[in-house]
Amino acid sequence: MPLDDELHADIMSLCDRAEQHAGEGEFDLAIPLYQQALDRLPQPVEDFEAATFILSSMGDAAFQQTRYEEAVRFLEQAVHGFRGQGNPFIHLRLGQALWESGDTLRGAEELARAFAAGGEGVFEHEDPRYLSLVKEAVRPPGLN
């Protein structure tokens, strides 16, 4: 569903500012700006691709701060949003956050979804252990 031009510009301005802070490692400043952008979307927010982007960005910021449970909450909303299902990055971050928060089974499932949707390239700039986890999880029984 499209947004009117003024609302779209307002949301993009907030997201641009949030991304600038995130790019500088100032995730604690980025998340509130993303939240403001999300709050400006009409209900139900799940109908808007912008919500998926905003929620995944919030999840990434929380993950970068090792706030894994918070990251899971944002990323679970993102994966169920408009075009969130099958998005390799969202599945990657959700899998990592689940794994780090102790839900290793669901974490491995989400990491496998990221791998299936995006291949090894999705893991290129990530800790290599996540790709190893996926390869172990998808390896047929009896192969070493």
Side-chain angles (χ1 to χ4, degrees):
M1 179 181 312
L3 298 170
D4 71 57
D5 291 342
E6 186 176 329
L7 180 57
H8 182 265
D10 184 37
I11 290 170
M12 290 306 301
S13 175
L14 287 165
C15 288
D16 288 345
R17 288 174 43 211
E19 287 182 43
Q20 184 175 10
H21 285 299
E24 295 171 5
E26 299 169 336
F27 302 108
D28 56 326
L29 299 175
I31 291 175
L33 290 169
Y34 284 128
Q35 185 65 58
Q36 288 177 36
L38 187 65
D39 291 345
R40 283 178 170 68
L41 287 172
Q43 293 294 326
V45 298
E46 298 81 18
D47 289 350
F48 296 93
E49 192 167 3
T52 304
F53 167 77
I54 294 166
L55 287 162
S56 64
S57 297
M58 292 170 78
D60 182 45
F63 178 82
Q64 298 300 331
Q65 292 182 298
T66 67
R67 294 171 18 198
Y68 301 122
E69 291 82 10
E70 183 178 359
V72 167
R73 284 194 311 275
F74 292 136
L75 293 161
E76 283 180 333
Q77 291 176 61
V79 82
H80 294 295
F82 187 81
R83 295 191 179 154
Q85 196 65 244
N87 179 303
F89 176 76
I90 296 172
H91 288 293
L92 170 71
R93 275 294 181 266
L94 179 55
Q96 291 170 317
L98 285 163
W99 184 273
E100 297 301 337
S101 65
D103 193 343
T104 56
L105 179 60
R106 285 185 53 219
E109 289 171 352
E110 290 297 330
L111 290 170
R113 284 185 182 99
F115 184 79
E120 287 190 27
V122 175
F123 294 83
E124 185 176 357
H125 300 289
E126 304 300 322
D127 186 323
R129 69 189 171 106
Y130 295 115
L131 182 57
S132 296
L133 291 168
V134 168
K135 287 183 175 183
E136 184 65 31
V138 299
R139 181 176 308 161
L143 293 180
N144 291 329

